[in-house]
Amino acid sequence: VGVCDDLTLDASATLGSGGRAMTYTYTIAEGSNSTEFSNISQVLSEATSHTVTLPEAIMSKGAKMEFTLTVTNFLGESASETKTITKLGYPAPSISIQGANPRYTTYSDELLLRVNAKIPEMSCVADSLSNAKMTYVWSETTGKYKGSIATTNPRVLRIAKEQLLATESYEFSCFVALTDTPSSNNSALLSVVVQSQPVKARVAGGAERVSG
């Protein structure tokens, strides 16, 4: 996240509630800055829903923070996920790729990836933006994808059907920078898992036919 940005942790995509309320517990791994750890832990401990926001002022520039979310349903079943987030030392665009991560698809489906991007928050620095135009660059980082990355809309990447191989996993990245100040940049990464499809037998003409 950029130097002036708050950080929001959102667990709304969690599954397995059975239609009932779940408990959400956020924790942070202890680092070298004990004051920062204490302040962030205090905010996390006061969270009462699946979303918690950390003010930019309690996170130091360049800090690399490891957060763990633990979710428990009404049956007492729990699951956890850990994410590492870096607090940049400069204003940067706020970006995310829409949808669940990882994303599941099949060989016969088109894959559509859309990035959300907002101009950097500048409230904590003396500089101001002279141009809000941003440049977008998509890539596939594993090297397994050999198709086109060309886009007509820079915010949207379309991968045609039959381009991603079944049972493979891919990593698609979108790099976003201010056009006039490329050093002010950020990137988002999305994992794509291509599932195999079950065999289905079908005879053309419907379930029943009458032949003379």
Side-chain angles (χ1 to χ4, degrees):
V1 293
V3 66
C4 298
D5 292 327
D6 297 336
L7 172 62
T8 297
L9 302 173
D10 187 352
S12 59
T14 299
L15 302 175
S17 68
R20 303 192 189 186
M22 304 179 75
T23 60
Y24 302 84
T25 303
Y26 289 100
T27 58
I28 182 173
E30 188 166 5
S32 56
N33 188 328
S34 58
T35 301
E36 180 179 67
F37 170 76
S38 177
N39 290 339
I40 293 175
S41 294
Q42 179 66 31
V43 175
L44 296 179
S45 68
E46 294 172 353
T48 58
S49 71
H50 56 72
T51 302
V52 59
T53 298
L54 303 175
E56 59 86 11
I58 68 172
M59 297 175 287
S60 59
K61 297 177 182 179
K64 186 167 285 189
M65 300 163 287
E66 185 178 279
F67 295 96
T68 298
L69 165 69
T70 300
V71 181
T72 305
N73 66 12
F74 71 99
L75 295 174
E77 299 171 331
S78 298
S80 297
E81 183 175 47
T82 298
K83 296 285 187 182
T84 299
I85 297 174
T86 300
K87 180 73 169 179
L88 300 174
Y90 52 86
S94 176
I95 71 171
S96 62
I97 299 176
Q98 291 182 10
N101 189 3
R103 181 81 58 81
Y104 293 91
T105 188
T106 66
Y107 173 75
S108 61
D109 290 331
E110 178 188 61
L111 178 66
L112 180 68
L113 302 180
R114 185 185 301 272
V115 67
N116 295 325
K118 296 190 298 183
I119 61 173
E121 173 61 53
M122 307 291 288
S123 59
C124 71
V125 295
D127 296 335
S128 60
L129 289 178
S130 58
N131 185 349
K133 185 178 181 181
M134 294 187 285
T135 300
Y136 301 78
V137 179
W138 290 91
S139 62
E140 198 286 313
T141 63
T142 69
K144 299 175 185 177
Y145 176 64
K146 306 302 181 183
S148 173
I149 296 289
T151 63
T152 54
N153 178 345
R155 290 176 179 259
V156 178
L157 177 64
R158 290 181 180 273
I159 305 296
K161 64 180 181 179
E162 301 178 359
Q163 295 297 304
L164 302 177
L165 302 179
T167 72
E168 288 284 6
S169 295
Y170 300 83
E171 299 280 345
F172 287 93
S173 173
C174 187
F175 172 88
V176 182
L178 290 177
T179 302
D180 287 353
T181 315
S183 59
S184 181
N185 62 72
N186 209 341
S187 60
L189 188 69
L190 181 89
S191 300
V192 175
V193 179
V194 187
Q195 298 176 308
S196 58
Q197 295 174 280
V199 177
K200 292 184 179 180
R202 289 180 178 171
V203 177
E208 295 183 8
R209 275 193 296 173
V210 176
S211 178

